[in-house]
């Protein structure tokens, strides 16, 4: 095994950056983000935090499907609030397989005076489904099929370079995501 096989994914993000970590549900975005070293100049926004805050206030065993919409709303509100008022670097975790979500994050970066960076964690749909089962949270078939249908197109487009407005766009596979993430400032 070489250093390249174990080295974390390095992403150069100067001050005032908004980093979108995107990919299929179950691709390894949360795993990747969980490896970031603590840094007071970086805020990482993962929907699991919003879910935790809400589930702590609900009766035990409340099915996630009943409040999923509220988790997503709270997570997006957190992203806007932190991007507008937060520290130098904001990292947002979203599937973002749809163009509207990526465009919204890009608009938020512009509005908050931040550089926009996109890191796509690529996994084949079968790998992403396995990842969902491991974490114990499986996206409904119809919703996941929609994500999967768009994801391949996004990956193909990103491999040609960053879309207009994005300073950088990078695709990493699931194995790279497991090695971790380091932000270079």
């Amino acid at each position: 095994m070489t250093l390249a096989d174990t080295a974390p994914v390095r992403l150069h993000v100067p001050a005032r950056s908004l980093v979108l970590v995107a990919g299929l549900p179950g691709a390894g975005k949360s795993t990747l983000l969980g490896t970031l070293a603590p840094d007071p100049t970086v805020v990482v926004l993962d929907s699991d935090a919003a879910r935790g805050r809400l589930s702590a206030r609900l009766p035990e065993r409340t099915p996630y499907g009943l409040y999923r919409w509220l988790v997503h709303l709270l997570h997006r509100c957190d992203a806007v609030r932190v991007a507008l008022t937060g520290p130098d670097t904001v990292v947002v975790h979203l599937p973002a397989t749809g163009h509207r979500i990526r465009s919204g994050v890009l608009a938020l970066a512009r509005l908050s005076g931040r550089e926009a960076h996109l890191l796509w964690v690529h996994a084949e749909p079968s790998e992403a489904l396995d990842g969902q089962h491991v974490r114990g949270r499986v996206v409904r078939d119809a919703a996941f099929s929609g994500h999967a249908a768009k994801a391949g197109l996004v990956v193909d487009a990103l491999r040609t370079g960053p879309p207009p407005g994005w300073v950088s766009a990078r695709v990493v596979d699931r194995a790279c995501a497991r090695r971790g993430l380091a932000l270079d400032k």
Side-chain angles (χ1 to χ4, degrees):
M1 186 174 283
T2 68
L3 180 59
D5 295 331
T6 59
V9 173
R10 300 198 81 78
L11 190 63
H12 178 70
V13 290
R16 298 293 299 164
S17 291
L18 179 61
V19 180
L20 171 60
V21 177
L24 282 174
K29 300 178 299 293
S30 293
T31 299
L32 177 75
L33 292 175
T35 66
L36 269 174
D39 182 336
T41 67
V42 177
V43 170
V44 177
L45 298 170
D46 190 329
S47 61
D48 283 345
R51 181 181 183 184
R53 289 194 322 261
L54 284 174
S55 66
R57 295 172 176 239
L58 296 171
E60 249 184 82
R61 298 186 183 175
T62 299
Y64 179 57
L66 292 178
Y67 65 98
R68 177 186 299 118
W69 65 273
L70 191 53
V71 168
H72 291 272
L73 176 63
L74 182 59
H75 179 53
R76 283 156 176 81
C77 288
D78 285 346
V80 170
R81 178 184 53 78
V82 172
L84 293 174
T85 64
D88 289 346
T89 304
V90 179
V91 181
V92 178
H93 164 287
L94 288 164
T97 55
H99 177 70
R100 286 186 298 183
I101 293 292
R102 291 189 310 279
S103 294
V105 172
L106 181 58
L108 179 59
R110 286 181 180 150
L111 180 66
S112 62
R114 297 174 183 277
E115 286 189 1
H117 300 270
L118 175 57
L119 180 62
W120 185 275
V121 180
H122 176 64
E124 294 300 321
S126 60
E127 294 174 308
L129 282 171
D130 289 345
Q132 291 177 37
H133 286 286
V134 166
R135 75 177 183 200
R137 211 171 76 222
V138 179
V139 176
R140 297 179 323 271
D141 287 340
F144 183 76
S145 295
H147 284 297
K150 297 174 198 169
L153 300 172
V154 174
V155 169
D156 290 343
L158 291 178
R159 289 202 168 129
T160 66
W166 294 87
V167 173
S168 69
R170 184 167 173 194
V171 177
V172 298
D173 65 22
R174 193 175 170 155
C176 287
R178 285 192 210 112
R179 294 195 316 246
L181 176 64
L183 299 179
D184 295 329
K185 298 180 180 193

